[in-house]
Amino acid sequence: MQQLTQKLGSGDMVIQEVPYPQLGKGMVIVKNHYSIISAGTEGSTVQAARKSLIGKAKERPQQVNQVIDTLKKQGPIQTYRAVMKKLDAYSPLGYSCAGEVIEVGEGVTEFEVGDRVACAGAGYANHAEIVSVPVNLCVKLDETTNLKNAAYNTLGAISMQGIRQADLRLGESCVVIGLGLLGQLAALILKASGVTVIGVDVAESAVNQAIENNAVDIGLVRNAAGIEEQILNATNGIGADAVIIAAATSSLDPINFAGAIARKKGKVVVLGAVPTGFDRDPFWYRKELELKMACSYGPGRYDLNYEEKGIDYPVAYVRWTEKRNMEAFQSLLITNKINIDYLTTHEFDFDNAKQAFDLVVEKSEPFTGIALKYDTAKEPSKASVKTSDSEALGKVNISFIGAGSYAQGNLLPNIPEHSEVTKVGVLTNTGTTSKRVAEKFKFQFCASEENDILNENTNTVFIATRHDSHGPYTIKSLQANKHVFVEKPLCLKEEELEKIIELKEVSGKSVMIGFNRRFSPLTKKLKKSLGNNPVSMIYRINAGAIPKDNWIQDMEIGGGRIHGEVCHFVDYLTYMNGSLPIKVSATAIPDANQLNDTLNVLIQFKNGSSGVIAYYSNGSKSLTKEYIEVFSAGFSGIIHDFKELKVYGKGKPKKKKLLNQNKGQKEMVKAYVDGLLKDGKAPISFDEVVAVSKTCFAIVESIKRGGEQIDI
């Protein structure tokens, strides 16, 4: 399958062969017929990618600050890896397309193979031969629909959401500032709704295009003499009932101009990318104007439950969702209430997509909408994509399922180079990530299907996917007789844990969890200093807040922060005292979102040791994240954020300070691979792995019971 990609670092754009996309629950696979290039959104992305590093930094000051913050906390190595991962990644382009359904995922009832559909969504409706799209970002089309026009689906929904925010009535007036693609679409829809439309643009050609195609009632160039008076006259001396700003500029002129031409108590809707720092006087304050933002395609946008899980909003309470906006736009097309034929000024075969983007960036000739046309006679292939000529295998043959930011920064770079260690295959949700990871880390292929990973060539599977899939992938890997390294947590369901225990016993294969902190050099040094007496431990984590709508906080997908993060610290205390947990109690500070991510956990261990995990999401960002204290028989040890160790005993305290933070990821991966090479065993015992998982389930239960002590 071919897809258009670009590297953010170099700006290189290429159509390349990538694996067939994954068909997840609630998704459909679509063969594209057309996709539309958004000159605004995509054009700015491509232009930024083609700039120098300094140019990129100037355009993204917020991301520069994030890099500086990472540098302070994690040191230059991790920061470099994180930045290079972004710069070297193959970024998919496109977010609006149309085609036919060729596969239907689990739980999908509204679509069938052969349906003609229009799709939306960055990361989904890409410029690619085949795309995988969630059902709420996909709408069914009439058999007679013009698929080229239908491919404007996303842009039409965005324009429609701006109009809905304006909340106009029949006979009212609206000025559309900016007559690019979004502005033209907004004007057409407004006119079809019985609204008087006045279009304004800095370019005379855009104004003339709108006038010639009956998209506006009146078209004006921004620098026209007496433009404010003309608009006042056209609105019977009232001023515009609403102004929709569909321009893209860093200038304050659109927002201040909107204030000048809007009627008293009118609305100004920001649809394009413009600053909103308007002048208070003389218009905005005295007219008591209302400023509204239009959020992309409409209600449901950026909502994980709506977009990824397919949970719709009840129509009685949310009349117009992003999907219903798309459906309304397609209805306008099929009933000929609007005609957008003129918007497609250029059409390119998909093979010539780079030329199309050159036109967008260089503006070598006038354009409005640019359509990419696909070869629909081409049969899709699910074959793996080779990234190496080598087919040699060793004693340890590793494949990855999932390879996101953490895996690329902490796991993949640390797989030791060894003659008996082979990197076989990579499977991720997106073909672009699979391809880039396979190339960069020298795997033999990137895969389209699980069976490509779980075949006889692989004997060790690294699982670094979202948390809800850890248990199922671990089970499948053990059933396929593979060693398993799974990023924490092991699983989110107790029945999955029981199945893993059963399969581990039957297969005899190793099951390793990514509990890296126990492998940190400072941890090893502290552990070595302890005697055999019971240990008292405190592990304080200044975790920071994560929004409720983040996938980690979603109990079905991420399992919440107890399963997703606190498990790390349960393992650490287990390792430090050298025995398994037997009892646990936990209490959480009540919060409005019921996230249970500010909590205290007390664990008792078999050898008499005890430990407190103080996991707080409500602290200051300026405080270091992790702080550990250990006490035993006149001995005390302190670790500050895995950068500094202080040991107190007899005599003068001993100190060990690292130049960079080291949480033990490199040492962990090496220890695991070395264990496989030696005897096939993991460096963390399976009893500890199981005990940590059971303890996390017990922590959740204890919080539900108001802090009641739970036996492990």
Side-chain angles (χ1 to χ4, degrees):
M1 180 202 88
Q2 290 193 319
Q3 181 167 356
L4 179 67
T5 64
Q6 183 180 43
K7 284 188 180 180
L8 178 59
S10 63
D12 292 341
M13 182 180 291
V14 63
I15 294 174
Q16 62 175 318
E17 194 72 24
V18 300
Y20 190 92
Q22 298 296 295
L23 177 62
K25 181 179 179 181
M27 303 186 80
V28 293
I29 301 288
V30 176
K31 177 193 281 189
N32 270 340
H33 286 222
Y34 288 93
S35 62
I36 301 298
I37 294 175
S38 168
T41 302
E42 292 183 84
S44 62
T45 299
V46 172
Q47 283 179 319
R50 294 183 180 183
K51 289 184 178 180
S52 66
L53 287 176
I54 293 175
K56 291 180 176 70
K58 287 180 178 178
E59 286 212 350
R60 294 175 169 82
Q62 187 175 5
Q63 292 182 358
V64 172
N65 290 334
Q66 290 174 353
V67 170
I68 294 171
D69 187 53
T70 303
L71 182 63
K72 290 177 181 177
K73 292 180 179 178
Q74 299 184 21
I77 295 175
Q78 285 302 103
T79 304
Y80 175 79
R81 284 177 178 171
V83 171
M84 292 311 296
K85 182 240 173 206
K86 291 286 186 183
L87 295 178
D88 286 345
Y90 291 134
S91 298
L93 295 166
Y95 63 86
S96 193
C97 63
E100 62 179 300
V101 174
I102 57 175
E103 284 190 66
V104 174
E106 178 187 347
V108 176
T109 57
E110 62 184 289
F111 296 103
E112 298 177 354
V113 172
D115 284 345
R116 293 155 69 87
V117 292
C119 310
Y124 297 116
N126 300 319
H127 299 308
E129 291 177 330
I130 309 293
V131 294
S132 181
V133 187
V135 291
N136 276 347
L137 290 173
C138 190
V139 295
K140 188 182 293 189
L141 304 174
D142 187 87
E143 290 184 1
T144 62
T145 298
N146 178 322
L147 288 181
K148 186 196 300 183
N149 288 348
Y152 282 84
N153 190 48
T154 303
L155 297 150
I158 292 171
S159 300
M160 188 164 288
Q161 177 60 16
I163 292 168
R164 296 203 189 285
Q165 288 293 83
D167 194 25
L168 290 157
R169 302 292 189 272
L170 183 69
E172 293 184 335
S173 63
C174 181
V175 174
V176 178
I177 300 176
L179 293 173
L181 204 47
L182 287 179
Q184 297 274 350
L185 285 165
L188 288 165
I189 297 169
L190 283 165
K191 235 191 150 192
S193 305
V195 174
T196 299
V197 184
I198 302 169
V200 178
D201 199 283
V202 295
E204 186 175 2
S205 59
V207 174
N208 290 337
Q209 184 185 40
I211 293 171
E212 290 165 4
N213 291 283
N214 201 30
V216 296
D217 294 290
I218 299 172
L220 299 168
V221 179
R222 174 65 184 95
N223 62 2
I227 186 171
E228 293 177 18
E229 186 177 351
Q230 290 186 62
I231 292 173
L232 192 63
N233 290 335
T235 57
N236 297 319
I238 297 172
D241 293 295
V243 180
I244 295 176
I245 303 176
T249 178
S250 58
S251 170
L252 286 171
D253 180 70
I255 196 75
N256 286 320
F257 178 56
I261 60 178
R263 68 166 170 82
K264 189 170 185 176
K265 290 187 176 293
K267 295 185 181 72
V268 177
V269 178
V270 176
L271 184 62
V274 295
T276 55
F278 52 79
D279 295 333
R280 187 171 184 267
D281 279 326
F283 302 116
W284 279 86
Y285 167 69
R286 297 187 188 186
K287 291 183 178 180
E288 292 186 311
L289 297 178
E290 182 179 353
L291 178 65
K292 302 184 78 174
M293 305 296 291
C295 182
S296 200
Y297 331 144
R301 189 70 180 114
Y302 309 115
D303 182 344
L304 183 147
N305 285 321
Y306 183 90
E307 292 193 337
E308 292 194 26
K309 294 184 179 179
I311 301 172
D312 199 2
Y313 301 149
V315 69
Y317 298 96
V318 184
R319 177 64 183 91
W320 294 107
T321 60
E322 56 183 325
K323 180 165 183 167
R324 291 193 270 271
N325 275 339
M326 294 177 210
E327 290 172 337
F329 174 69
Q330 297 297 338
S331 177
L332 289 173
L333 295 180
I334 194 66
T335 57
N336 294 316
K337 288 185 171 66
I338 63 172
N339 183 352
I340 66 170
D341 289 346
Y342 77 94
L343 290 180
T344 305
T345 55
H346 294 75
E347 180 179 316
F348 291 82
D349 288 339
F350 178 58
D351 290 343
N352 298 321
K354 187 177 181 300
Q355 296 176 24
F357 274 95
D358 288 341
L359 171 61
V360 171
V361 173
E362 296 167 8
K363 298 180 173 60
S364 53
E365 58 184 274
F367 64 88
T368 307
I370 301 175
L372 298 180
K373 184 179 181 180
Y374 295 81
D375 179 5
T376 57
K378 184 177 177 181
E379 288 298 320
S381 170
K382 292 187 178 182
S384 296
V385 178
K386 291 187 67 175
T387 51
S388 169
D389 292 331
S390 173
E391 296 181 356
L393 298 175
K395 186 174 182 180
V396 177
N397 303 309
I398 297 171
S399 287
F400 266 70
I401 299 178
S405 295
Y406 183 81
Q408 291 182 50
N410 298 284
L411 301 180
L412 287 156
N414 293 321
I415 295 174
E417 295 294 331
H418 191 286
S419 60
E420 288 297 316
V421 176
T422 303
K423 299 170 189 174
V424 183
V426 179
L427 174 69
T428 72
N429 273 338
T430 64
T432 51
T433 300
S434 296
K435 181 74 175 289
R436 180 57 186 150
V437 168
E439 288 178 343
K440 182 176 181 179
F441 295 101
K442 297 180 174 59
F443 282 78
Q444 294 177 353
F445 65 84
C446 47
S448 297
E449 299 182 294
E450 291 175 18
N451 290 339
D452 297 331
I453 297 296
L454 299 178
N455 66 18
E456 65 277 2
N457 289 343
T458 297
N459 61 20
T460 304
V461 177
F462 275 67
I463 299 166
T465 52
R466 282 187 175 182
H467 299 167
D468 60 323
S469 60
H470 286 189
Y473 276 132
T474 299
I475 289 169
K476 289 178 182 179
S477 297
L478 289 172
Q479 288 172 333
N481 206 37
K482 313 298 181 188
H483 295 292
V484 181
F485 178 107
V486 58
E487 253 312 303
K488 51 78 189 168
L490 176 60
C491 56
L492 296 183
K493 299 177 182 178
E494 293 185 80
E495 57 266 31
E496 291 174 344
L497 179 59
E498 294 306 315
K499 184 66 174 177
I500 290 168
I501 293 170
E502 174 191 326
L503 289 170
K504 167 72 171 70
E505 185 175 346
V506 172
S507 69
K509 297 298 180 180
S510 68
V511 176
M512 171 71 174
I513 308 298
F515 292 142
N516 52 280
R517 285 164 175 80
R518 62 159 65 197
F519 294 92
S520 168
L522 296 185
T523 299
K524 294 291 187 182
K525 193 171 182 65
L526 177 58
K527 171 79 170 174
K528 190 176 180 180
S529 301
L530 285 173
N532 296 320
N533 298 299
V535 184
S536 300
M537 301 165 287
I538 300 172
Y539 201 137
R540 188 272 296 151
I541 306 96
N542 180 35
I546 292 180
K548 180 184 179 181
D549 58 1
N550 187 285
W551 69 268
I552 291 173
Q553 300 282 25
D554 186 278
M555 294 308 294
E556 291 182 15
I557 298 175
R561 298 181 83 176
I562 292 172
H563 288 298
E565 296 180 9
V566 173
C567 59
H568 259 308
F569 316 116
V570 175
D571 173 75
Y572 193 91
L573 298 187
T574 300
Y575 169 74
M576 191 59 67
N577 89 91
S579 69
L580 300 180
I582 56 172
K583 296 178 184 294
V584 66
S585 61
T587 57
I589 291 180
D591 66 275
N593 292 318
Q594 300 177 330
L595 298 176
N596 291 333
D597 60 358
T598 298
L599 65 153
N600 289 303
V601 181
L602 174 61
I603 306 175
Q604 295 182 25
F605 294 88
K606 189 174 183 180
N607 68 357
S609 297
S610 66
V612 172
I613 297 173
Y615 185 88
Y616 302 149
S617 66
N618 58 348
S620 168
K621 291 182 179 180
S622 61
L623 179 67
T624 54
K625 182 179 179 182
E626 296 177 44
Y627 175 83
I628 304 159
E629 289 188 355
V630 177
F631 303 85
S632 177
F635 168 89
S636 299
I638 299 174
I639 291 179
H640 285 273
D641 220 23
F642 293 94
K643 287 183 178 180
E644 184 179 11
L645 169 66
K646 294 181 181 179
V647 174
Y648 299 83
K650 290 183 180 180
K652 188 178 179 180
K654 298 177 181 178
K655 296 182 181 180
K656 174 70 174 178
K657 195 167 186 178
L658 304 178
L659 182 62
N660 299 309
Q661 185 184 69
N662 187 338
K663 292 187 178 181
Q665 286 96 344
K666 181 177 181 179
E667 292 79 2
M668 171 189 66
V669 175
K670 183 179 186 305
Y672 179 57
V673 175
D674 286 349
L676 294 178
L677 288 169
K678 181 181 178 182
D679 54 18
K681 293 182 179 179
I684 302 177
S685 74
F686 189 62
D687 286 343
E688 290 175 297
V689 169
V690 172
V692 170
S693 297
K694 287 185 175 180
T695 301
C696 289
F697 287 122
I699 290 171
V700 174
E701 186 63 26
S702 178
I703 292 172
K704 289 179 182 177
R705 298 187 189 182
E708 180 182 326
Q709 190 174 72
I710 307 291
D711 291 331
I712 308 298

